[in-house]
Amino acid sequence: MLAALLSVSLAGCGSITIPFGDHADESPAITTGSIGPAVVVQEPLPEALSYSDAARIGQTAGIAGIDTLPKDGIDWINEVTGSAGKVRPLSQISQNATRTCRDIEATVTSVGGVHRFGGTLCKDQTSGVVQMEALATEPS
């Protein structure tokens, strides 16, 4: 029986945890990373900007904090498409009871070349969802 459980566990088909001894001395869980906020991308998008890249730009800005983006911007990368760039704030934040918004500029370096996009990012204060609207494209 133990051999069968061990083989299933080693095969990657499942995992079994067998508790040993007293658990009173266990350390609490430690957060080692951050999961980005949900991002809603408004369509249509400029032709040179993929949905996945737009979502990643919004997610990166959401993690950094739309209201606290540094003037010189922050780097973003989309591991799925291989695209990367920088997102910078263009305006002061506008805020009401439910949303925080800011105009941004993003550069995108992808297989299609280097492009610059303008847009607006808004974060819903209640749900944490970030809304990304890309407004224009300009080849760099």
Side-chain angles (χ1 to χ4, degrees), residues 46-73:
E47 188 176 314
L49 182 62
S50 74
Y51 184 93
S52 179
D53 288 346
R56 189 65 180 139
I57 291 166
Q59 187 178 47
T60 300
I63 290 170
I66 291 173
D67 54 344
T68 59
L69 283 174
K71 287 182 183 180
D72 57 345

PDB file of all heavy atoms in Angstrom, residues 46-73:
ATOM      1  N   PRO A  46      -5.561  49.146 -30.033  1.00  0.00           N
ATOM      2  CA  PRO A  46      -4.745  49.484 -31.201  1.00  0.00           C
ATOM      3  C   PRO A  46      -4.162  48.207 -31.800  1.00  0.00           C
ATOM      4  O   PRO A  46      -3.859  47.249 -31.085  1.00  0.00           O
ATOM      5  CB  PRO A  46      -3.643  50.377 -30.629  1.00  0.00           C
ATOM      6  CG  PRO A  46      -4.236  50.940 -29.378  1.00  0.00           C
ATOM      7  CD  PRO A  46      -5.126  49.863 -28.840  1.00  0.00           C
ATOM      8  N   GLU A  47      -3.979  48.189 -33.109  1.00  0.00           N
ATOM      9  CA  GLU A  47      -3.558  46.983 -33.822  1.00  0.00           C
ATOM     10  C   GLU A  47      -2.262  46.380 -33.287  1.00  0.00           C
ATOM     11  O   GLU A  47      -2.118  45.165 -33.214  1.00  0.00           O
ATOM     12  CB  GLU A  47      -3.393  47.304 -35.301  1.00  0.00           C
ATOM     13  CG  GLU A  47      -3.144  46.092 -36.159  1.00  0.00           C
ATOM     14  CD  GLU A  47      -3.091  46.443 -37.627  1.00  0.00           C
ATOM     15  OE1 GLU A  47      -3.968  47.187 -38.094  1.00  0.00           O
ATOM     16  OE2 GLU A  47      -2.165  45.968 -38.297  1.00  0.00           O
ATOM     17  N   ALA A  48      -1.310  47.191 -32.896  1.00  0.00           N
ATOM     18  CA  ALA A  48      -0.005  46.696 -32.472  1.00  0.00           C
ATOM     19  C   ALA A  48       0.033  46.254 -31.002  1.00  0.00           C
ATOM     20  O   ALA A  48       1.070  45.829 -30.517  1.00  0.00           O
ATOM     21  CB  ALA A  48       1.054  47.765 -32.707  1.00  0.00           C
ATOM     22  N   LEU A  49      -1.078  46.339 -30.289  1.00  0.00           N
ATOM     23  CA  LEU A  49      -1.105  45.983 -28.871  1.00  0.00           C
ATOM     24  C   LEU A  49      -1.971  44.753 -28.657  1.00  0.00           C
ATOM     25  O   LEU A  49      -3.170  44.760 -28.946  1.00  0.00           O
ATOM     26  CB  LEU A  49      -1.652  47.151 -28.032  1.00  0.00           C
ATOM     27  CG  LEU A  49      -1.702  46.944 -26.518  1.00  0.00           C
ATOM     28  CD1 LEU A  49      -0.292  46.738 -25.954  1.00  0.00           C
ATOM     29  CD2 LEU A  49      -2.376  48.134 -25.843  1.00  0.00           C
ATOM     30  N   SER A  50      -1.361  43.690 -28.132  1.00  0.00           N
ATOM     31  CA  SER A  50      -2.130  42.465 -27.857  1.00  0.00           C
ATOM     32  C   SER A  50      -2.925  42.625 -26.560  1.00  0.00           C
ATOM     33  O   SER A  50      -2.549  43.402 -25.677  1.00  0.00           O
ATOM     34  CB  SER A  50      -1.199  41.253 -27.744  1.00  0.00           C
ATOM     35  OG  SER A  50      -0.487  41.274 -26.515  1.00  0.00           O
ATOM     36  N   TYR A  51      -4.009  41.882 -26.467  1.00  0.00           N
ATOM     37  CA  TYR A  51      -4.834  41.892 -25.265  1.00  0.00           C
ATOM     38  C   TYR A  51      -3.989  41.486 -24.056  1.00  0.00           C
ATOM     39  O   TYR A  51      -4.054  42.097 -22.991  1.00  0.00           O
ATOM     40  CB  TYR A  51      -6.023  40.949 -25.441  1.00  0.00           C
ATOM     41  CG  TYR A  51      -6.982  40.977 -24.281  1.00  0.00           C
ATOM     42  CD1 TYR A  51      -8.089  41.822 -24.296  1.00  0.00           C
ATOM     43  CD2 TYR A  51      -6.785  40.179 -23.162  1.00  0.00           C
ATOM     44  CE1 TYR A  51      -8.965  41.865 -23.234  1.00  0.00           C
ATOM     45  CE2 TYR A  51      -7.661  40.217 -22.093  1.00  0.00           C
ATOM     46  CZ  TYR A  51      -8.753  41.053 -22.129  1.00  0.00           C
ATOM     47  OH  TYR A  51      -9.609  41.095 -21.070  1.00  0.00           O
ATOM     48  N   SER A  52      -3.175  40.456 -24.242  1.00  0.00           N
ATOM     49  CA  SER A  52      -2.348  39.942 -23.156  1.00  0.00           C
ATOM     50  C   SER A  52      -1.359  40.992 -22.648  1.00  0.00           C
ATOM     51  O   SER A  52      -1.159  41.140 -21.444  1.00  0.00           O
ATOM     52  CB  SER A  52      -1.596  38.696 -23.651  1.00  0.00           C
ATOM     53  OG  SER A  52      -0.761  38.174 -22.658  1.00  0.00           O
ATOM     54  N   ASP A  53      -0.748  41.756 -23.576  1.00  0.00           N
ATOM     55  CA  ASP A  53       0.186  42.802 -23.163  1.00  0.00           C
ATOM     56  C   ASP A  53      -0.545  43.936 -22.444  1.00  0.00           C
ATOM     57  O   ASP A  53      -0.074  44.447 -21.434  1.00  0.00           O
ATOM     58  CB  ASP A  53       0.956  43.352 -24.360  1.00  0.00           C
ATOM     59  CG  ASP A  53       1.988  42.364 -24.898  1.00  0.00           C
ATOM     60  OD1 ASP A  53       2.294  41.376 -24.200  1.00  0.00           O
ATOM     61  OD2 ASP A  53       2.478  42.595 -26.018  1.00  0.00           O
ATOM     62  N   ALA A  54      -1.704  44.329 -22.961  1.00  0.00           N
ATOM     63  CA  ALA A  54      -2.489  45.392 -22.311  1.00  0.00           C
ATOM     64  C   ALA A  54      -2.873  44.972 -20.893  1.00  0.00           C
ATOM     65  O   ALA A  54      -2.787  45.762 -19.950  1.00  0.00           O
ATOM     66  CB  ALA A  54      -3.728  45.721 -23.132  1.00  0.00           C
ATOM     67  N   ALA A  55      -3.280  43.712 -20.738  1.00  0.00           N
ATOM     68  CA  ALA A  55      -3.653  43.217 -19.410  1.00  0.00           C
ATOM     69  C   ALA A  55      -2.450  43.218 -18.472  1.00  0.00           C
ATOM     70  O   ALA A  55      -2.565  43.577 -17.298  1.00  0.00           O
ATOM     71  CB  ALA A  55      -4.247  41.819 -19.520  1.00  0.00           C
ATOM     72  N   ARG A  56      -1.291  42.839 -18.987  1.00  0.00           N
ATOM     73  CA  ARG A  56      -0.089  42.805 -18.149  1.00  0.00           C
ATOM     74  C   ARG A  56       0.345  44.213 -17.737  1.00  0.00           C
ATOM     75  O   ARG A  56       0.796  44.429 -16.616  1.00  0.00           O
ATOM     76  CB  ARG A  56       1.044  42.094 -18.890  1.00  0.00           C
ATOM     77  CG  ARG A  56       2.228  41.836 -18.035  1.00  0.00           C
ATOM     78  CD  ARG A  56       1.882  40.852 -16.908  1.00  0.00           C
ATOM     79  NE  ARG A  56       3.063  40.646 -16.115  1.00  0.00           N
ATOM     80  CZ  ARG A  56       3.066  40.564 -14.801  1.00  0.00           C
ATOM     81  NH1 ARG A  56       1.954  40.630 -14.122  1.00  0.00           N
ATOM     82  NH2 ARG A  56       4.188  40.386 -14.155  1.00  0.00           N
ATOM     83  N   ILE A  57       0.218  45.183 -18.635  1.00  0.00           N
ATOM     84  CA  ILE A  57       0.520  46.575 -18.293  1.00  0.00           C
ATOM     85  C   ILE A  57      -0.394  47.030 -17.153  1.00  0.00           C
ATOM     86  O   ILE A  57       0.056  47.605 -16.164  1.00  0.00           O
ATOM     87  CB  ILE A  57       0.366  47.487 -19.526  1.00  0.00           C
ATOM     88  CG1 ILE A  57       1.470  47.188 -20.541  1.00  0.00           C
ATOM     89  CG2 ILE A  57       0.392  48.969 -19.114  1.00  0.00           C
ATOM     90  CD1 ILE A  57       1.222  47.779 -21.910  1.00  0.00           C
ATOM     91  N   GLY A  58      -1.688  46.758 -17.293  1.00  0.00           N
ATOM     92  CA  GLY A  58      -2.642  47.134 -16.251  1.00  0.00           C
ATOM     93  C   GLY A  58      -2.374  46.429 -14.940  1.00  0.00           C
ATOM     94  O   GLY A  58      -2.473  47.020 -13.862  1.00  0.00           O
ATOM     95  N   GLN A  59      -2.011  45.152 -15.016  1.00  0.00           N
ATOM     96  CA  GLN A  59      -1.733  44.386 -13.804  1.00  0.00           C
ATOM     97  C   GLN A  59      -0.490  44.921 -13.093  1.00  0.00           C
ATOM     98  O   GLN A  59      -0.484  45.093 -11.879  1.00  0.00           O
ATOM     99  CB  GLN A  59      -1.550  42.915 -14.162  1.00  0.00           C
ATOM    100  CG  GLN A  59      -1.433  42.012 -12.970  1.00  0.00           C
ATOM    101  CD  GLN A  59      -1.312  40.567 -13.370  1.00  0.00           C
ATOM    102  OE1 GLN A  59      -0.532  40.227 -14.253  1.00  0.00           O
ATOM    103  NE2 GLN A  59      -2.098  39.714 -12.749  1.00  0.00           N
ATOM    104  N   THR A  60       0.555  45.226 -13.855  1.00  0.00           N
ATOM    105  CA  THR A  60       1.784  45.761 -13.260  1.00  0.00           C
ATOM    106  C   THR A  60       1.511  47.097 -12.573  1.00  0.00           C
ATOM    107  O   THR A  60       1.951  47.324 -11.448  1.00  0.00           O
ATOM    108  CB  THR A  60       2.880  45.923 -14.337  1.00  0.00           C
ATOM    109  OG1 THR A  60       3.142  44.639 -14.905  1.00  0.00           O
ATOM    110  CG2 THR A  60       4.149  46.502 -13.747  1.00  0.00           C
ATOM    111  N   ALA A  61       0.788  47.985 -13.259  1.00  0.00           N
ATOM    112  CA  ALA A  61       0.454  49.283 -12.666  1.00  0.00           C
ATOM    113  C   ALA A  61      -0.441  49.102 -11.444  1.00  0.00           C
ATOM    114  O   ALA A  61      -0.312  49.833 -10.463  1.00  0.00           O
ATOM    115  CB  ALA A  61      -0.216  50.182 -13.690  1.00  0.00           C
ATOM    116  N   GLY A  62      -1.342  48.131 -11.483  1.00  0.00           N
ATOM    117  CA  GLY A  62      -2.214  47.872 -10.342  1.00  0.00           C
ATOM    118  C   GLY A  62      -1.457  47.380  -9.132  1.00  0.00           C
ATOM    119  O   GLY A  62      -1.744  47.755  -7.996  1.00  0.00           O
ATOM    120  N   ILE A  63      -0.446  46.531  -9.360  1.00  0.00           N
ATOM    121  CA  ILE A  63       0.379  46.046  -8.247  1.00  0.00           C
ATOM    122  C   ILE A  63       1.175  47.201  -7.642  1.00  0.00           C
ATOM    123  O   ILE A  63       1.282  47.342  -6.438  1.00  0.00           O
ATOM    124  CB  ILE A  63       1.335  44.923  -8.715  1.00  0.00           C
ATOM    125  CG1 ILE A  63       0.544  43.651  -9.034  1.00  0.00           C
ATOM    126  CG2 ILE A  63       2.390  44.626  -7.651  1.00  0.00           C
ATOM    127  CD1 ILE A  63       1.364  42.575  -9.723  1.00  0.00           C
ATOM    128  N   ALA A  64       1.749  48.038  -8.525  1.00  0.00           N
ATOM    129  CA  ALA A  64       2.547  49.167  -8.045  1.00  0.00           C
ATOM    130  C   ALA A  64       1.680  50.213  -7.354  1.00  0.00           C
ATOM    131  O   ALA A  64       2.145  50.925  -6.474  1.00  0.00           O
ATOM    132  CB  ALA A  64       3.296  49.814  -9.210  1.00  0.00           C
ATOM    133  N   GLY A  65       0.422  50.301  -7.770  1.00  0.00           N
ATOM    134  CA  GLY A  65      -0.498  51.293  -7.227  1.00  0.00           C
ATOM    135  C   GLY A  65      -0.684  52.420  -8.219  1.00  0.00           C
ATOM    136  O   GLY A  65       0.250  53.191  -8.461  1.00  0.00           O
ATOM    137  N   ILE A  66      -1.835  52.483  -8.827  1.00  0.00           N
ATOM    138  CA  ILE A  66      -2.117  53.502  -9.832  1.00  0.00           C
ATOM    139  C   ILE A  66      -1.847  54.896  -9.272  1.00  0.00           C
ATOM    140  O   ILE A  66      -1.323  55.764  -9.959  1.00  0.00           O
ATOM    141  CB  ILE A  66      -3.568  53.378 -10.342  1.00  0.00           C
ATOM    142  CG1 ILE A  66      -3.716  52.095 -11.168  1.00  0.00           C
ATOM    143  CG2 ILE A  66      -3.989  54.595 -11.151  1.00  0.00           C
ATOM    144  CD1 ILE A  66      -5.132  51.780 -11.572  1.00  0.00           C
ATOM    145  N   ASP A  67      -2.156  55.091  -8.008  1.00  0.00           N
ATOM    146  CA  ASP A  67      -1.980  56.413  -7.409  1.00  0.00           C
ATOM    147  C   ASP A  67      -0.550  56.682  -6.948  1.00  0.00           C
ATOM    148  O   ASP A  67      -0.216  57.799  -6.579  1.00  0.00           O
ATOM    149  CB  ASP A  67      -2.958  56.608  -6.250  1.00  0.00           C
ATOM    150  CG  ASP A  67      -2.879  55.498  -5.218  1.00  0.00           C
ATOM    151  OD1 ASP A  67      -2.312  54.429  -5.513  1.00  0.00           O
ATOM    152  OD2 ASP A  67      -3.380  55.699  -4.106  1.00  0.00           O
ATOM    153  N   THR A  68       0.330  55.678  -7.006  1.00  0.00           N
ATOM    154  CA  THR A  68       1.702  55.869  -6.548  1.00  0.00           C
ATOM    155  C   THR A  68       2.748  55.512  -7.605  1.00  0.00           C
ATOM    156  O   THR A  68       3.907  55.290  -7.263  1.00  0.00           O
ATOM    157  CB  THR A  68       1.971  55.031  -5.278  1.00  0.00           C
ATOM    158  OG1 THR A  68       1.737  53.652  -5.574  1.00  0.00           O
ATOM    159  CG2 THR A  68       1.108  55.489  -4.126  1.00  0.00           C
ATOM    160  N   LEU A  69       2.351  55.476  -8.881  1.00  0.00           N
ATOM    161  CA  LEU A  69       3.322  55.179  -9.931  1.00  0.00           C
ATOM    162  C   LEU A  69       4.440  56.220  -9.912  1.00  0.00           C
ATOM    163  O   LEU A  69       4.175  57.417  -9.886  1.00  0.00           O
ATOM    164  CB  LEU A  69       2.661  55.218 -11.311  1.00  0.00           C
ATOM    165  CG  LEU A  69       1.803  54.030 -11.707  1.00  0.00           C
ATOM    166  CD1 LEU A  69       1.113  54.305 -13.044  1.00  0.00           C
ATOM    167  CD2 LEU A  69       2.641  52.771 -11.804  1.00  0.00           C
ATOM    168  N   PRO A  70       5.700  55.781  -9.939  1.00  0.00           N
ATOM    169  CA  PRO A  70       6.801  56.754  -9.948  1.00  0.00           C
ATOM    170  C   PRO A  70       6.837  57.522 -11.270  1.00  0.00           C
ATOM    171  O   PRO A  70       6.472  56.992 -12.315  1.00  0.00           O
ATOM    172  CB  PRO A  70       8.053  55.881  -9.774  1.00  0.00           C
ATOM    173  CG  PRO A  70       7.635  54.491 -10.072  1.00  0.00           C
ATOM    174  CD  PRO A  70       6.161  54.406  -9.895  1.00  0.00           C
ATOM    175  N   LYS A  71       7.294  58.774 -11.224  1.00  0.00           N
ATOM    176  CA  LYS A  71       7.330  59.626 -12.417  1.00  0.00           C
ATOM    177  C   LYS A  71       8.110  59.001 -13.561  1.00  0.00           C
ATOM    178  O   LYS A  71       7.757  59.150 -14.721  1.00  0.00           O
ATOM    179  CB  LYS A  71       7.931  60.989 -12.081  1.00  0.00           C
ATOM    180  CG  LYS A  71       7.030  61.872 -11.281  1.00  0.00           C
ATOM    181  CD  LYS A  71       7.699  63.214 -11.035  1.00  0.00           C
ATOM    182  CE  LYS A  71       6.809  64.079 -10.167  1.00  0.00           C
ATOM    183  NZ  LYS A  71       7.411  65.394  -9.911  1.00  0.00           N
ATOM    184  N   ASP A  72       9.211  58.318 -13.230  1.00  0.00           N
ATOM    185  CA  ASP A  72      10.020  57.709 -14.276  1.00  0.00           C
ATOM    186  C   ASP A  72       9.482  56.350 -14.716  1.00  0.00           C
ATOM    187  O   ASP A  72      10.044  55.701 -15.583  1.00  0.00           O
ATOM    188  CB  ASP A  72      11.484  57.601 -13.859  1.00  0.00           C
ATOM    189  CG  ASP A  72      11.686  56.811 -12.575  1.00  0.00           C
ATOM    190  OD1 ASP A  72      10.704  56.583 -11.839  1.00  0.00           O
ATOM    191  OD2 ASP A  72      12.827  56.415 -12.303  1.00  0.00           O
ATOM    192  N   GLY A  73       8.382  55.908 -14.132  1.00  0.00           N
ATOM    193  CA  GLY A  73       7.696  54.692 -14.548  1.00  0.00           C
ATOM    194  C   GLY A  73       8.235  53.422 -13.916  1.00  0.00           C
ATOM    195  O   GLY A  73       9.181  53.451 -13.125  1.00  0.00           O
TER     196      GLY A  73
END
